[in-house]
Amino acid sequence: MRARLSTTFRSLTVRNYRLFAGGQLIKLIGVWMMYVAQDWLVLELSNDSPTALGLVTALQFVPVMLLTLYAGTLADRFDKRTLLMVSNGAWALLAIAQAVLIATGVIQLWHIMVFAGLLGVAQAIETPVRQAFVSELVGKPLLPNALSLSAATFQTARITGPALAGVAIAWLGTGPVFLVSTVMAVAPVLMQARMRPAELHRPELLPRDERAEAKVADGLRYVRTRHDLLLPMVMMLVIAMFGYNFQLTLALLAKTVFATGAATFGLFNTALAVGSLAGALAGTARKGRPSVYLLLAAAVAFGLLAIAVGVAPTKWLVLLLLVPTGFSTVFLAQAANQRVQLGVDGAFRGRVMALYVLIFLGTAPIGSMVISWIAETFGAAAGIWLGGAVSLVAALGALVWQLRHAGDRLSFQARPMPRVRVVHAESVAAA
């Protein structure tokens, strides 16, 4: 057990990474508390309108579509630690302003929409820089473990934040939840200020004059010539757009399908997050780049599980299914992230990760509006199972694409135990 724990948490032996992970954990607990309270407040202010909730969710991610690629060039040009301190500081100030409006009782729906857009700007800058910064904290040998621990930090916050928010909303209302989240948002700035720049790993950076010439188009051309990067990005574009909408669909499922309160909504989020944390920890032992077929298998599993959640007839069955769904959600996202990060040259990491973030988060405005329309027209459950069906089709399409590109084929074995395995091109040629 001791050996297992030392392997799982080995990146925490690095002081800079400990500070980074601690600051992120505190902030993200507050962020998830704020998101849950925000969703509930929007439904209260809009008379349970899925369209209003979808619009607020979309506005959070519109800046990601517009600014993320530019943020990637900043990450390749300037000091990532400084950029993170500035963007996290801006997030904290905006969160404080919104909390004041809510606490004083003057908040209106359009205020929430404005703050959703402004907070999205801070997120658009922070996210790709943070993704690229992890490699500087620990170096390439520890990068798979550090990425998995960062995902585990995120999922721990998803467990704690919604659970605390659900109880706090039921007992105190939405105002106190926003006030607490603003205090927690300052943590990353304080932790990043305490880091030791001399201990950062920066051997792969371009020279200063070349960094000044880093362009978005160069990163796009780089990805276009790399099939191993292009496939996970295209597949995740579709899955993130239509399948990863649980922030929207679970609130609607709890309130409109099962007619339950904030506590059940919190339980839905917690069940999803428990599985997500397990999925994140499952990747901590990985020491190298995940295979493309592991990635594709995770995508197929996610699509099937999301369909099952959407057609589940009772809230207790939904709770049960959300645990493996959460596992597959994060296991898939981490496998895609690690396959991209561990396959990219350091000089292009900021721009490539910015493109990945754009694909992963920037598609949310489109997806949230489509799914909210489906939910309003056909019901919240349809928004979930249709998203799962589209994700499954994307996963199977990516599998066919990979098999044709590599010349591999699938082999089905019925005995002694049913299984599917990949027969690689070399074996096919030898046969």
Side-chain angles (χ1 to χ4, degrees):
M1 178 62 70
R2 185 178 301 167
R4 174 63 179 169
L5 289 175
S6 64
T7 299
T8 300
F9 299 103
R10 60 187 182 274
S11 292
L12 294 178
T13 59
V14 180
R15 179 183 182 274
N16 282 342
Y17 184 78
R18 286 199 304 272
L19 292 170
F20 172 82
Q24 285 298 118
L25 178 61
I26 295 170
K27 175 192 173 181
L28 288 171
I29 290 174
V31 168
W32 278 106
M33 291 178 67
M34 185 182 76
Y35 279 160
V36 171
Q38 175 183 277
D39 289 349
W40 211 251
L41 183 60
V42 168
L43 290 175
E44 289 179 349
L45 294 174
S46 65
N47 296 319
D48 298 339
S49 170
T51 299
L53 186 57
L55 182 57
V56 171
T57 303
L59 287 171
Q60 292 172 348
F61 296 104
V62 165
V64 177
M65 296 178 65
L66 301 178
L67 300 176
T68 294
L69 291 180
Y70 177 69
T73 66
L74 295 179
D76 284 335
R77 290 180 183 180
F78 302 109
D79 182 89
K80 297 179 182 63
R81 174 171 160 266
T82 302
L83 289 172
L84 286 175
M85 292 175 65
V86 171
S87 57
N88 279 311
W91 173 284
L93 291 174
L94 289 167
I96 290 170
Q98 181 175 231
V100 169
L101 289 179
I102 295 170
T104 55
V106 299
I107 193 73
Q108 296 182 33
L109 184 59
W110 72 268
H111 292 147
I112 297 176
M113 292 180 179
V114 170
F115 277 106
L118 293 175
L119 288 167
V121 172
Q123 181 187 24
I125 302 298
E126 188 265 354
T127 304
V129 178
R130 170 170 45 82
Q131 293 272 353
F133 187 52
V134 175
S135 64
E136 293 190 6
L137 291 168
V138 297
K140 198 164 186 178
L142 287 176
L143 184 56
N145 178 259
L147 291 173
S148 295
L149 284 181
S150 294
T153 299
F154 182 84
Q155 300 309 326
T156 300
R158 285 191 66 186
I159 294 173
T160 310
L164 291 175
V167 174
I169 293 171
W171 283 83
L172 304 172
T174 55
V177 176
F178 280 91
L179 290 173
V180 171
S181 69
T182 60
V183 175
M184 302 174 79
V186 182
V189 181
L190 300 178
M191 294 297 189
Q192 287 152 12
R194 294 181 57 201
M195 289 180 183
R196 297 169 182 165
E199 296 178 7
L200 295 174
H201 298 258
R202 294 171 169 171
E204 298 177 321
L205 289 180
L206 290 168
R208 185 176 299 274
D209 57 340
E210 293 183 39
R211 271 185 272 162
E213 297 299 323
K215 295 181 175 63
V216 171
D218 296 332
L220 296 176
R221 281 192 291 267
Y222 176 81
V223 171
R224 189 178 60 189
T225 61
R226 295 281 304 274
H227 172 80
D228 60 326
L229 302 179
L230 191 60
L231 183 143
M233 286 189 172
V234 172
M235 183 182 73
M236 292 307 297
L237 184 150
V238 178
I239 294 177
M241 185 183 300
F242 296 103
Y244 282 18
N245 286 288
F246 292 111
Q247 179 187 347
L248 166 67
T249 54
L250 290 184
L252 294 171
L253 196 67
K255 197 167 180 68
T256 64
V257 175
F258 297 116
T260 54
T264 300
F265 176 41
L267 282 176
F268 281 172
N269 278 283
T270 301
L272 187 73
V274 167
S276 299
L277 177 59
L281 292 175
T284 56
R286 189 175 292 136
K287 296 182 179 179
R289 195 182 187 199
S291 74
V292 65
Y293 292 109
L294 177 67
L295 172 67
L296 294 170
V300 170
F302 168 77
L304 292 172
L305 286 165
I307 293 171
V309 170
V311 299
T314 67
K315 69 178 182 180
W316 302 113
L317 184 56
V318 169
L319 278 171
L320 183 65
L321 287 169
L322 282 174
V323 176
T325 302
F327 182 97
S328 66
T329 299
V330 173
F331 190 87
L332 167 61
Q334 273 302 102
N337 188 311
Q338 292 176 356
R339 185 152 181 85
V340 172
Q341 283 242 41
L342 293 171
V344 67
D345 295 331
F348 289 92
R349 182 169 282 115
R351 281 164 287 177
V352 172
M353 292 315 299
L355 180 58
Y356 181 80
V357 170
L358 175 62
I359 286 170
F360 200 79
L361 297 178
T363 55
I366 301 171
S368 62
M369 294 307 295
V370 172
I371 294 299
S372 65
W373 177 84
I374 291 172
E376 189 149 23
T377 306
F378 303 105
I384 297 176
W385 70 257
L386 275 172
V390 173
S391 300
L392 180 60
V393 170
L396 295 175
L399 175 61
V400 172
W401 182 17
Q402 173 61 27
L403 291 172
R404 289 183 175 178
H405 176 82
D408 301 335
R409 64 180 177 84
L410 295 181
S411 173
F412 300 90
Q413 177 180 306
R415 297 179 180 178
M417 180 179 293
R419 58 178 296 191
V420 179
R421 66 187 184 92
V422 178
V423 180
H424 294 286
E426 299 81 3
S427 302
V428 175

